Each structure stands twice: as structure tokens, then as C-alpha cells.
Amino acid sequence: MDPVIIVGAGPVGLTLALALARQEVPSVVLDEGPGKDEPRLARSVVLREDTTALMERLTGVPIAEAGARWSGWRAMRRKQVMREVTFDDAANEPEGVTNPAPLHIAQHVLTGALRAALEGEPLVKIAVDSRLDAVEQEPSGVTAHTRGPKGTWWRGSYLVGCDGPRSTVRKLQDIRFPGRTAVERHAVAALRAELPWDGQALLHRMPPWRMSGPSAGEVTGRPLPDGVWRLDWLLPPGKDLVTPELLVARIRETLAGWTGGPTPPYELLDTGVHTVHHRLARRWRVGRVFLAGDAAHCLGTLGTHGLDEGLRDADNLAWKLAPAWHHGPHEALLDSYQAERRAVVAARLRAADQALPLLRGGGGLRAYVPGSARGHDALLMDGHLGHGAIGALGTYAGSPLAPGPLEGEVPVDTPRGAPVVDVRVTAEDGSFVQLRDRLGRGALLVLLIAPGTGVWERKHWATAGIMPRLAAAVTALPYRAELLVAEAYPGAAAHSVLLVRPDGHLVTALSGVRPNDLYAAAEAALGGPVKAPAGAAEAEAGPAAAEAGAAEAGAAEAGATAGSR
């Protein structure tokens, strides 16, 4: 079968190529550039804990070590600290981290790690200096034409436009991209300096010193590795030119104000102007053509979380394209990409558009938010940190892939459709790994919560208690699945069974081994019946085979428990 054509070699396109390769799907990445990225410290991104884990899983390198995990965040108004947040140390608390620190990393560093991982990947071909200018679809595939020194026709099974806000793919498919232009503008500088807040990010509103030139009275400081800081000054509405002289004056005034004396020594490394747009494509799928990342949406008003959502697009789409590539098109599963991802991004855009007039409109906030300035700062800070209505991570609770009511369903601390918590699990080979390490392999994950198993070798409990029954039920699922065991999971009772999608979102949690419920939930998560992977003949028998196996195993192991000694 023809490879998937990926248009665009930014972080989203490269992530999609790697994610597909991990599921044995070949791809061709059309890169209109020379295959190299210009180092720009003023262009950085903020990644949440699970997207950081996704990057490390795909690249095989500790991405977190190339960025900065903040120790905390503080919000100031004039000279007063309005609120402080301390982040948990995920390195020292790998399980049960309630407030993990985001990762702040230069985008070219992230892209470089993705490119390095692709160098040894035989399933991915990167075609540099290849600019798309035509796309043709047929029922059996897609044909794309590129111009340039290596202009040619490319044949693919599917095509994904990851080619940015001015997407050629989107324009060729005549997809509207409505929204707002220049919602916010920020002057940006990356510099090396010693500031009073070691490892802490800072949001300072209405600083007590007078800023040179037009100013909206807000500056953000976010640390990067090696003593580097990214500073963002919110600019007032309009198109005022940010001159080098003006930016240097801002830097000197801000550093002097923060240190309480003369301007401390600093090294200016990079500058820029960051303009934020709010746009959302009407459609994210047209037949065999999809959109992802900035080609599908522009957001990120109150921070730098726009790329984080793009990486989630790639993760969501990859596991749905994989079964379609291997086993034939499954329209309900492919359609769910737009239904899930567009709904999440649209909700964030709506929340930001509703909040911005209050946050930026001065006295307007006092009419709507109790607590005046304090409520104002809290709402703004939540947006920066990815909390609250503006920045909270979306879930797929209303997804077309969500199962209907299940008799054996029980609540856990993770809602349906939300990303699962990363806990230590025992894999089928008896090794201890983190749950997120098993994601992205094109398999459903079935997680049994069995206290006591962690202190015994797998051979002592793998054939005891409910394990044989559960193994039989997993074998009968309509899609490849991996059985894992954990000592505990937040909010889950002993012998609970969690079904997790390949992208790490919870499908359901069940009380004990319930083959019919497990099968129904797995089938729903795949958009309905799908062709079983080769060699999984047991799956064709459905839950009846699992029930028979369960009865046989139950008779053989009567009276035993999962944690039996």
C-alpha cells in the first residue's frame, strides 16, 4: 500500500511521521525547506507533561533535559505578589504528581531531536526542497505534485497537511479558515541574565516602572536552560513598529525594575515579534486529506501552548490512520479525528475569546469577576499555566468513540476521555515500565489494578485468580491489545480493569473481569466493528470466546486471588 504523504516538516509533521512509523506505517514528508532549522531562542514552546512524554517516547532521547522545567510561577501586580504556584518535581515523584511542571524548550531544539530520530527510520522518507502545488484524490488514494529542483508526482494512501497557518493543503481543498487576526502582539527577547527568580516563571502586570514607547503594561518572563530567559511584552492594539532601540530600552527598564537597581549585565541572544491569531478550519478532513497543527487551528493567546495542541493532533490521527492503512478504511474511526480534536480546540478558542475582553478591557472585568484585580490575575495565570476554562486540557467525553452505558462501569479519578495518569505497570514480559511507555504502539491497553503483585515475580500471579479470565477476555477483543498490571491507580479499587486507547485516553473503567462490557467498550473505541489483526482468530469469536475461556480458567483457579502467595 502507498505511504501516507505528510506536507510540512515542522514539529507536528515530523511527530506524525514518527508516530506512524512506530505503528509500521510508511510515510513521505514533503519539506519545502532545505531540511535544517534556524536556531531561534525567541521561538520557544511550552509542553505539558504528557506531550513531553510523547516526544521522549518517539525520539528515544530525554527531551526534558534539553528544556527547562520551572520550579514555580508567580503573578505580580505593580509591586505585590498576587499568587504563587509551586510545581511538583516529576523526576522525584514519578507517580501521583498532582501539579507537574510544564516543559519550556526552544522549538528548534525539539525539531532537531525529531529530525535526528527520523534519520535512522527506514519507514520515513523526507523530501527536501519540495513545495506542494497540487493534490488529486481518487477512491483508492491521493496524488500530490511538488515543484522545485526535485519537483515530481507523489502517490499516497492518505495526505495530511501539517504546513502551517498559510496551509497550501487547506487552500487546495477549499477549506475555510475563519477567525480573528492579530488578537494579540508581543515583543519578544531571549537573553542570558541572572534574575531574582531562579527557575521560576513570572507574569508581571502593571509594573511600577515606566516603559518606553507604547505598552499594555504586562511582561512575562520564562526561564530556559543555561541561564537564558524569554521575555514577552504585551503590545497595545495597533501596528506600532517595534524598533531595536525600543526593545533594548524595554529590556534595560525591565531588568532594572526586577533587580531593584541599575540594569544588571545581560547578553541579548534573539528578538522577535509574536503575533497571535485565533482561527479554526471548518473541516479537518476531506476524503483522504486531513489537516493538523496550525493548518487546522491557530490559538495560544495566553502562553505558548499552540504547538502542544498540534502534537495532540498528530498523536490522535496517527493511531486512527494505522488500522485504516493496515486493514482498510474505517470511516467512523477516521471521522472521529475531526470530531474529537476540533471540538477540543474550538472550546479553548471560545473560552479565550470570551475572557479576553475582560482580561484586557480594564474595568470591564470588575463587572463580571468577583474579586476585581485578584480574580483578573487568577484567570490570566490559569490561561498561561494550562488550567481553568482558558487553558485546561480537553477531554473526549463526548466523542463518537465513547461507549454507551456499561453495566460494570465504575468511576476512577480520571474521567472518561481524559488522558490517563502515568503509573508504574508490569508488562506481559514481567518488566516494570511506566504506563505512558506502552502508548503509541497501535494497541489498546487493558490495565488490571491488583495490589500486591508488584512484590512478586510475574510467574507467581500471572496464572492465579482473575488473571486467566482477564487474559482470555483480552485475547477475544476485536483489536490488538496489551494486558498490563498496576499496584494502584488514582481512585481505582482493587481488581478494577481500565481500557485505554493507543493515545492514552481512558475509554472506561470496569469492576472486575466483564468480557461483554470490555468487548463493547473496545468496539466503540474503534468506531464499530473492524477487521481483526492477522493471527487474532480468537477475536472473531467475540466475548463468547472470552466467557468460555473465563469459565474454564475460573474452574482451574477457583479460590485464588491476583495477589496470592
Side-chain angles (χ1 to χ4, degrees):
M1 190 172 179
D2 295 317
V4 174
I5 300 173
I6 300 171
V7 183
V12 175
L14 299 178
T15 295
L16 179 59
L18 275 173
L20 289 172
R22 297 296 181 267
Q23 298 172 71
E24 300 181 351
V25 177
S27 63
V28 173
V29 181
L30 304 183
D31 183 357
E32 71 175 29
K36 298 180 180 179
D37 300 280
E38 179 187 2
R40 291 291 312 276
L41 289 173
R43 191 178 186 187
S44 59
V45 297
V46 177
L47 303 181
R48 302 173 194 260
E49 182 192 21
D50 58 334
T51 42
T52 300
L54 169 65
M55 294 295 95
E56 294 188 336
R57 189 167 65 244
L58 291 177
T59 62
V61 299
I63 291 291
E65 295 180 4
R69 286 194 183 274
W70 305 328
S71 60
W73 179 284
R74 65 171 54 195
M76 297 182 65
R77 176 181 285 268
R78 298 185 177 90
K79 295 182 179 181
Q80 182 181 2
V81 177
M82 305 295 289
R83 185 181 171 194
E84 284 192 85
V85 172
T86 300
F87 296 117
D88 294 336
D89 185 351
N92 295 326
E93 302 178 63
E95 296 187 23
V97 176
T98 57
N99 190 28
L103 177 69
H104 188 207
I105 186 171
Q107 183 166 316
H108 73 269
V109 174
L110 179 63
T111 306
L114 291 165
R115 286 189 183 277
L118 285 167
E119 287 179 0
E121 179 51 67
L123 290 177
V124 180
K125 173 183 176 60
I126 299 181
V128 300
D129 299 318
S130 299
R131 185 168 185 174
L132 182 77
D133 63 4
V135 173
E136 298 178 1
Q137 287 199 61
E138 307 90 35
S140 60
V142 181
T143 304
H145 184 265
T146 55
R147 57 187 174 90
K150 300 180 180 180
T152 187
W153 287 96
W154 302 86
R155 180 67 180 174
S157 53
Y158 297 92
L159 184 145
V160 185
C162 305
D163 48 344
R166 298 180 180 179
S167 170
T168 300
V169 173
R170 188 184 64 242
K171 294 172 183 176
L172 289 173
Q173 297 303 304
D174 197 24
I175 299 174
R176 293 184 59 200
F177 198 40
R180 299 167 59 201
T181 300
V183 177
E184 287 185 352
R185 293 171 67 237
H186 298 260
V188 183
L191 51 89
R192 183 174 284 109
E194 289 188 13
L195 296 179
W197 309 285
D198 184 27
Q200 275 195 331
L202 170 73
L203 169 66
H204 199 163
R205 307 195 73 244
M206 301 178 67
W209 59 88
R210 180 178 177 84
M211 287 191 182
S212 300
S215 171
E218 181 177 307
V219 58
T220 306
R222 303 180 181 92
L224 283 163
D226 303 322
V228 176
W229 289 77
R230 169 176 166 167
L231 305 187
D232 291 60
W233 293 268
L234 177 65
L235 298 172
K239 298 182 179 180
D240 298 287
L241 183 64
V242 181
T243 64
E245 295 77 15
L246 176 61
L247 191 53
V248 169
R250 288 268 180 103
I251 293 171
R252 294 179 62 84
E253 293 163 352
T254 300
L255 296 184
W258 281 346
T259 56
T263 302
Y266 70 92
E267 179 186 2
L268 184 58
L269 304 172
D270 192 18
T271 62
V273 174
H274 174 53
T275 303
V276 176
H277 309 289
H278 278 183
R279 294 189 177 276
L280 185 65
R282 292 289 191 191
R283 293 180 292 169
W284 292 26
R285 181 192 180 193
V286 179
R288 290 177 174 266
V289 175
F290 298 82
L291 300 178
D294 287 349
H297 51 77
C298 293
L299 74 163
T301 299
L302 303 177
T304 49
H305 291 282
L307 178 59
D308 188 273
E309 292 290 2
L311 298 178
R312 293 177 192 279
D313 295 344
D315 195 25
N316 185 289
L317 182 57
W319 81 266
K320 295 171 181 178
L321 282 176
W325 193 90
H326 286 293
H327 310 300
H330 188 41
E331 297 306 308
L333 187 61
L334 295 177
D335 283 342
S336 71
Y337 165 67
Q338 173 177 307
E340 291 182 343
R341 293 300 306 148
R342 191 177 187 279
V344 165
V345 175
R348 288 194 62 186
L349 285 173
R350 281 194 301 270
D353 285 340
Q354 291 168 2
L356 279 178
L358 308 179
L359 296 172
R360 306 305 191 201
L365 182 71
R366 292 177 173 83
Y368 295 93
V369 180
S372 163
R374 188 170 296 276
H376 186 169
D377 292 329
L379 186 59
L380 186 59
M381 185 168 171
D382 280 346
H384 276 286
L385 298 182
H387 302 155
I390 300 175
L393 180 63
T395 69
Y396 305 143
S399 166
L401 303 184
L406 300 170
E407 181 180 353
E409 189 166 34
V410 293
V412 295
D413 287 356
T414 302
R416 260 194 186 196
V420 292
V421 175
D422 194 24
V423 297
R424 192 181 78 155
V425 300
T426 305
E428 292 180 344
D429 61 1
S431 61
F432 292 112
V433 296
Q434 292 300 122
L435 177 58
R436 286 185 180 141
D437 291 342
R438 312 308 287 183
L439 300 175
R441 299 170 176 232
L444 296 170
L445 302 182
V446 179
L447 177 62
L448 170 67
I449 311 305
T453 52
V455 299
W456 301 100
E457 292 186 26
R458 184 179 182 277
K459 65 182 180 181
H460 294 305
W461 49 260
T463 58
I466 64 173
M467 280 297 292
R469 298 174 57 212
L470 182 57
V474 170
T475 300
L477 290 179
Y479 190 67
R480 184 165 63 90
E482 181 179 8
L483 177 57
L484 305 169
V485 181
E487 283 267 0
Y489 187 89
H495 297 170
S496 295
V497 175
L498 279 62
L499 180 63
V500 182
R501 298 181 354 169
D503 60 350
H505 288 255
L506 180 67
V507 179
T508 188
L510 303 172
S511 59
V513 181
R514 295 176 175 267
N516 286 322
D517 283 351
L518 188 63
Y519 191 95
E523 193 171 68
L526 297 166
V530 296
K531 182 180 178 181
E538 299 92 333
E540 299 296 334
E547 292 286 10
E552 180 180 351
E557 302 292 342
T561 64
S564 66
R565 291 168 171 75

